[in-house]
Amino acid sequence: MSRTRLRFSKSYMTFLSVALLLSACSGSSTDTATTSATQAKEKVAINNHSDDGTDKIGLSMPSQYLERWNRDGKYLKSVFEEMGYEVDLEFAGNMIDTQIDAIDAMIDNGCDVLVIGAVDGLSLTRVVEKAYYAGIPVISYDRLICNSEYISAYVSFDNYEVGRLQGEYIEEALDLENAGSKTYNIEFIAGDSADNNARYFFDGAMDVLKPYIDDGILNVPSGQLDFYTVATSQWSTESANIRFEILIGSYYSGANRLDAVVCSNDSTALGVEAAIEENYKENNSVLITGQDCDEANLVKLMESRQSMDVYKNLTYEAYVTVKLVDSLYNGKEMSQELADGWDLGFECTYDTTTYDNGKIVVPSFLLKPVTITSDNAVEELVDNYGTYVLTDDGTLKVAE
């Protein structure tokens, strides 16, 4: 399937100019921002005059070591290729320099658009600026790229909602609203502090549970409530396991009963579950949350060794990303009407207020996560699972 080189319209360039002006309101010099916008528009216009006959997608994923990123990267690559794109997929191994070097190479090799799941959203400022001046739009995928006015759009799930679902599960499972004189012990395992999403997950859960902590219904025996204290570098299962073994030995080796652990994702949940199974001596079942519905965690969920998970249909996220790239290619403006016109069959919200990356509020396309328990796992993950296929007319639809 041949395609002409990706060209972005005046409406796209208008957005970039507005983004730069917004960044001036965030503390940059207005004169500098305006000059940069003018220079960048000229560079994009020059770049768009060339034509090599193909559209090249630079696809940079943070790690091949977590199941979900393997799924994201491979699925995105397959769908883009089915639509006629040439795709350069690179995994960064959770190494910032490795990701930067790979993106640099994608730019130098003439990619037309970059889709980036960041290892560290704070560390890509230079390479993203380089992409912009080369006329290459950047889509921030799943993890927000921060401190840059050169981000075209953000595609993700509602990350705050993920944490809120975890907090609400604990609230309902322990019936905290009707606790009366009952009290419960809870601990928190957050994600990587370098991952912008981790803070949204933590804040979503904490906003639900903090009132019960303030009222003394929930106790945190370790006293560890600060995000950076409970954060887990690189979402590591081993790091979560070591920390939680220490917590059990320090605070739950006697008569203290552990009732719940809010784990921000599945890899950290695995570490916590192993620590509890090997070191916790009480007979009660501990409520444990998760996110991503990784295979190992779903096994534990069905065996009642993990209480809940949060499902983010990565097929949906990849599909929205593909639709967004194609829409920009066809000169369409980002809006809720654009998302509605994709006829997705699932909820996608266009958000222009939430995701401030330190320079601009990045226009975002947000998807809705789903709470998964052993009661609804089959329905949500098997019966309702949507896999997209390319039809003969070149469009995508959910497979029957």
Side-chain angles (χ1 to χ4, degrees), residues 131-178:
Y132 180 79
Y133 281 98
I136 302 169
V138 174
I139 308 299
S140 187
Y141 183 80
D142 197 78
R143 294 177 174 178
L144 185 65
I145 298 173
C146 297
N147 289 343
S148 175
E149 60 265 48
Y150 303 113
I151 308 303
S152 305
Y154 178 43
V155 179
S156 185
F157 282 81
D158 187 335
N159 299 308
Y160 178 86
E161 176 73 4
V162 170
R164 194 179 68 80
L165 290 176
Q166 294 172 340
E168 287 179 347
Y169 177 85
I170 299 295
E171 179 185 43
E172 293 171 10
L174 295 178
D175 195 18
L176 297 179
E177 290 185 348
N178 302 303

Side-chain angles (χ1 to χ4, degrees), residues 141-340:
Y141 183 80
D142 197 78
R143 294 177 174 178
L144 185 65
I145 298 173
C146 297
N147 289 343
S148 175
E149 60 265 48
Y150 303 113
I151 308 303
S152 305
Y154 178 43
V155 179
S156 185
F157 282 81
D158 187 335
N159 299 308
Y160 178 86
E161 176 73 4
V162 170
R164 194 179 68 80
L165 290 176
Q166 294 172 340
E168 287 179 347
Y169 177 85
I170 299 295
E171 179 185 43
E172 293 171 10
L174 295 178
D175 195 18
L176 297 179
E177 290 185 348
N178 302 303
S181 60
K182 293 180 181 178
T183 61
Y184 301 93
N185 292 330
I186 190 170
E187 299 290 345
F188 293 84
I189 301 285
D192 191 339
S193 60
D195 182 346
N196 184 71
N197 289 352
R199 188 59 189 252
Y200 283 99
F201 302 146
F202 179 78
D203 287 348
M206 189 60 72
D207 284 351
V208 174
L209 299 175
K210 187 65 160 56
Y212 298 107
I213 295 173
D214 293 341
D215 290 344
I217 296 171
L218 287 178
N219 299 314
V220 185
S222 70
Q224 297 177 7
L225 278 172
D226 175 72
F227 170 70
Y228 291 100
T229 302
V230 302
T232 307
S233 179
Q234 296 187 359
W235 301 89
S236 166
T237 298
E238 181 180 4
S239 296
N241 177 257
I242 292 170
R243 176 170 170 253
F244 218 78
E245 284 184 342
I246 294 171
L247 285 182
I248 291 173
S250 299
Y251 303 101
Y252 299 96
S253 58
N256 254 6
R257 170 188 169 111
L258 176 63
D259 296 292
V261 187
V262 175
C263 299
S264 288
N265 86 323
D266 279 353
S267 59
T268 56
L270 288 178
V272 168
E273 288 154 4
I276 290 173
E277 289 169 7
E278 295 171 10
N279 300 280
Y280 182 62
K281 304 305 181 185
E282 296 297 313
N283 295 323
N284 66 295
S285 296
V286 180
L287 299 176
I288 301 172
T289 69
Q291 174 196 180
D292 291 332
C293 290
D294 287 345
E295 183 177 340
N297 297 79
L298 290 177
V299 171
K300 289 181 178 293
L301 186 77
M302 301 310 290
E303 294 175 348
S304 299
R305 292 188 288 162
Q306 182 167 318
S307 310
M308 67 86 74
D309 218 317
V310 177
Y311 180 49
K312 301 183 301 186
N313 192 324
L314 304 181
T315 306
Y316 291 178
E317 189 173 18
Y319 182 51
V320 167
T321 302
V322 171
K323 292 294 288 185
L324 176 59
V325 169
D326 259 11
S327 295
L328 293 178
Y329 169 61
N330 287 301
K332 297 180 181 178
E333 295 184 6
M334 293 183 290
S335 66
Q336 185 62 56
E337 289 72 22
L338 175 65
D340 293 341

Side-chain angles (χ1 to χ4, degrees), residues 20-37:
L20 285 162
L21 292 174
L22 285 173
S23 73
C25 298
S26 301
S28 302
S29 163
T30 302
D31 291 340
T32 301
T34 304
T35 301
S36 298

Side-chain angles (χ1 to χ4, degrees), residues 9-29:
S9 66
K10 291 182 179 179
S11 62
Y12 173 71
M13 293 311 306
T14 299
F15 161 70
L16 294 177
S17 300
V18 170
L20 285 162
L21 292 174
L22 285 173
S23 73
C25 298
S26 301
S28 302
S29 163

